[in-house]
Amino acid sequence: MKLIFLGPPGAGKGTLAVIVSKEYGIPQISTGDIFRDAIKRETELGKKVKEIVGRGDLVPDELTVSLVRERLTQADAQKGYILDGFPRTIPQAEALEKFQKLDAVVNFSISDEQVVKRLSGREICKSCGAIYHVTNMPSKVKGVCDKCGGPVYVRPDDSLESITNRLDVYRKQTEPLIGFYRGRALLKDIDSSKSPEDTQDQIKKALGSLK
Ligand code: ADP
């Protein structure tokens, strides 16, 4: 199944992508993770995008599209995938439909107020990517991942300034994709303001007919 997870930062795309990816046996492809990994390893790509990602602005379309195009040629993506955080602009979506046929676009919705609350306390495991929240969903031992024992940290772009900018960028540049995919009859609307379990339930129902 070829899926896109669309929605503002903090909507729960990453958390649910991990769950749904296991359930369907398809990889989660997160452009944000690819960029963060490149930044950490200080590759050429990492050096190019470090400041852009830190500010919460978008990496140029051409660069992002060529990266995803390349990733989708790999063996594990032939059966299906979840694109988490891509496309984020109309030109990216237009480029994608030239080389891929999608099954559905899951549209996560949540208020700006909740986004700020969720992201300003978010913590992530450096080793396995598990996501925590300082007050809503803390790890059992502070700074240590419950699942793998790895170090848990705060993403540098989860500062209030960058969160506000990412939301602004989402509303201006990414939200128009809702109309784009609704027009192609691919959109599945999900309310992601409640628990991950509740959101998972809604996704299951929405995708059930596609399985
Ligand atoms: P979030 O959804 O929490 O904002 P992501 O992990 O999806 O975070 O992305 C982090 C950052 O990586 C974005 O703020 C942006 O700088 C960059 N990025 C990720 N995906 C894209 C994309 N499709 N196009 C352009 N930039 C992207």
Side-chain angles (χ1 to χ4, degrees):
M1 192 174 325
K2 299 183 173 173
L3 304 174
I4 287 178
F5 279 10
L6 179 67
K13 302 185 299 291
T15 305
L16 268 299
V18 171
I19 298 170
V20 175
S21 133
K22 278 197 195 113
E23 200 174 314
Y24 289 85
I26 50 178
Q28 167 199 14
I29 300 175
S30 155
T31 39
D33 284 350
I34 296 174
F35 292 136
R36 274 186 293 280
D37 181 62
I39 294 169
K40 191 169 79 188
R41 291 190 293 116
E42 298 181 338
T43 62
E44 277 311 304
L45 173 69
K47 285 180 204 149
K48 253 189 225 163
V49 304
K50 185 171 181 190
E51 286 192 6
I52 303 175
V53 172
R55 280 197 304 270
D57 287 333
L58 294 185
V59 174
D61 287 338
E62 214 173 301
L63 181 59
T64 311
V65 169
S66 68
L67 206 116
V68 172
R69 188 196 293 268
E70 161 70 30
R71 177 64 185 85
L72 293 183
T73 62
Q74 291 176 22
D76 65 337
Q78 302 316 304
K79 265 198 334 183
Y81 48 76
I82 301 169
L83 282 176
D84 161 17
F86 179 92
R88 255 176 158 91
T89 64
I90 295 275
Q92 289 181 11
E94 285 171 344
L96 179 68
E97 72 179 1
K98 293 209 174 94
F99 62 92
Q100 289 289 312
K101 192 172 176 329
L102 300 167
D103 294 301
V105 176
V106 180
N107 179 34
F108 290 64
S109 59
I110 182 171
S111 69
D112 285 7
E113 198 190 342
Q114 257 191 311
V115 165
V116 175
K117 257 192 214 149
R118 281 188 186 178
L119 293 187
S120 49
R122 179 163 74 172
E123 294 181 325
I124 299 176
C125 172
K126 232 174 196 152
S127 312
C128 76
I131 299 171
Y132 299 94
H133 188 281
V134 274
T135 48
N136 302 343
M137 214 177 21
S139 54
K140 288 190 191 105
V141 179
K142 196 169 169 42
V144 181
C145 179
D146 295 350
K147 297 193 175 98
C148 77
V152 168
Y153 79 117
V154 175
R155 252 169 62 175
D157 64 338
D158 277 346
S159 67
L160 191 57
E161 200 186 353
S162 173
I163 293 170
T164 312
N165 187 40
R166 274 150 63 209
L167 257 174
D168 205 42
V169 167
Y170 173 77
R171 299 286 174 219
K172 288 198 183 106
Q173 306 202 54
T174 309
E175 214 166 44
L177 291 178
I178 295 176
F180 180 92
Y181 287 121
R182 206 185 292 287
R184 283 154 175 75
L186 288 171
L187 211 70
K188 310 279 179 198
D189 288 299
I190 298 295
D191 166 12
S192 64
S193 62
K194 298 183 193 97
S195 65
E197 292 75 21
D198 180 80
T199 310
Q200 184 184 3
D201 233 42
Q202 293 180 55
I203 296 178
K204 246 189 180 157
K205 285 197 185 111
L207 299 181
S209 56
L210 293 172
K211 220 176 175 180

